[in-house]
Amino acid sequence: MFSEYDKVKIKETGKHGVIVCIDTDGGTKPPIYFVEIDQAEKTEHDEENMIWCEEDELVRA
């Protein structure tokens, strides 16, 4: 399990980022994590700079 502001790596893309939000739907669902991609790895496409990930899609950086 991760916490807000943990540094992570997204397995699929290899990009690094920081968890900025965790959603559990009020404790009724497993957590999903909103990750902001590191500034140096951002692209021009806004949708690629912040992404929702499930726990199994992330590893600690």
Side-chain angles (χ1 to χ4, degrees):
M1 181 172 244
F2 297 100
S3 300
E4 278 190 51
Y5 308 112
D6 280 354
K7 293 181 180 183
V8 295
K9 179 179 176 182
I10 301 169
K11 290 179 184 179
E12 184 178 328
T13 63
K15 292 185 178 184
H16 295 85
V18 174
I19 295 172
V20 294
C21 181
I22 301 172
D23 184 17
T24 62
D25 198 20
T28 62
K29 295 183 180 175
I32 57 172
Y33 304 94
F34 199 50
V35 178
E36 181 176 7
I37 303 301
D38 284 348
Q39 186 70 30
E41 298 180 26
K42 287 185 177 181
T43 66
E44 296 178 10
H45 305 289
D46 290 337
E47 66 273 5
E48 294 178 11
N49 294 329
M50 303 207 44
I51 184 170
W52 285 103
C53 297
E54 293 184 16
E55 188 169 0
D56 64 347
E57 298 174 307
L58 301 171
V59 293
R60 294 196 189 282

